[in-house]
Amino acid sequence: MNQPASQENSSLGVVELRIPSKAEWVAVARLAVAAVANRLNFSIEDIEDIKLAVAEACTNCIQHASGSNQIEITCETEAEGLTVRVRDYGHGTRPEQIVSRRVDEPRVGGLGVFLIRSLMDTVEYDVSSDSGTNLVMTKKVQSSNP
């Protein structure tokens, strides 16, 4: 299938990673995404934000996607930014369950969605109770970065 000319040239490259849905593999995802982001013109602070967002997304997959034994992470690089897709194939999440809680709520946990939305420029969820969750988040390179 042919893509429009504007889409063919906008992507600099795609890196795909598949990790087991286990906490000890989240660091691998963080490091891989940081290496990809480092190839773009992101600041160190932006790379740290991306790493934390990916770690939170993977942790959400591990904690909430029952029946999924792997997490797929896809990084698509463009001159103007990075798009990261984090996908699981679990069951049990409903779209209305993916909400940011208020920071001042007195309870432990539940800040993952809040952090992801705070750290990334755009965040979209595609949720199916039968086929899992696909999180797409983007971070734009700031023009003031050297």
Side-chain angles (χ1 to χ4, degrees):
M1 184 168 155
N2 293 333
Q3 294 180 336
S6 62
Q7 287 184 333
E8 288 178 2
N9 297 326
S10 65
S11 179
L12 299 175
V14 175
V15 175
E16 297 175 325
L17 174 68
R18 185 176 301 144
I19 62 171
S21 186
K22 296 181 178 180
E24 60 265 30
W25 288 92
V26 173
V28 173
R30 286 174 45 99
L31 292 173
V33 173
V36 172
N38 192 44
R39 298 194 54 85
L40 301 172
N41 199 19
F42 284 112
S43 67
I44 297 297
E45 292 81 16
D46 285 343
I47 293 173
E48 291 299 321
D49 288 350
I50 295 167
K51 287 169 57 179
L52 181 54
V54 167
E56 290 295 331
C58 290
T59 299
N60 283 345
C61 293
I62 293 165
Q63 292 179 342
H64 303 292
S66 65
S68 181
N69 59 7
Q70 66 181 2
I71 302 168
E72 294 176 357
I73 300 115
T74 304
C75 300
E76 183 174 340
T77 60
E78 299 174 354
E80 57 275 358
L82 174 67
T83 299
V84 181
R85 299 174 202 281
V86 179
R87 177 154 180 67
D88 68 61
Y89 295 94
H91 305 283
T93 301
R94 295 188 315 259
E96 61 271 14
Q97 290 178 311
I98 300 175
V99 294
S100 297
R101 78 168 173 92
R102 292 182 17 207
V103 176
D104 59 351
E105 289 180 42
R107 66 179 172 104
V108 175
L111 287 174
V113 174
F114 171 81
L115 286 172
I116 292 168
R117 291 189 189 280
S118 298
L119 298 170
M120 301 299 283
D121 294 323
T122 65
V123 177
E124 297 176 13
Y125 284 93
D126 180 16
V127 179
S128 169
S129 59
D130 296 329
S131 59
T133 301
N134 186 31
L135 166 61
V136 181
M137 48 191 171
T138 60
K139 187 78 169 178
K140 300 291 182 194
V141 173
Q142 302 299 314
S143 58
S144 61
N145 290 341

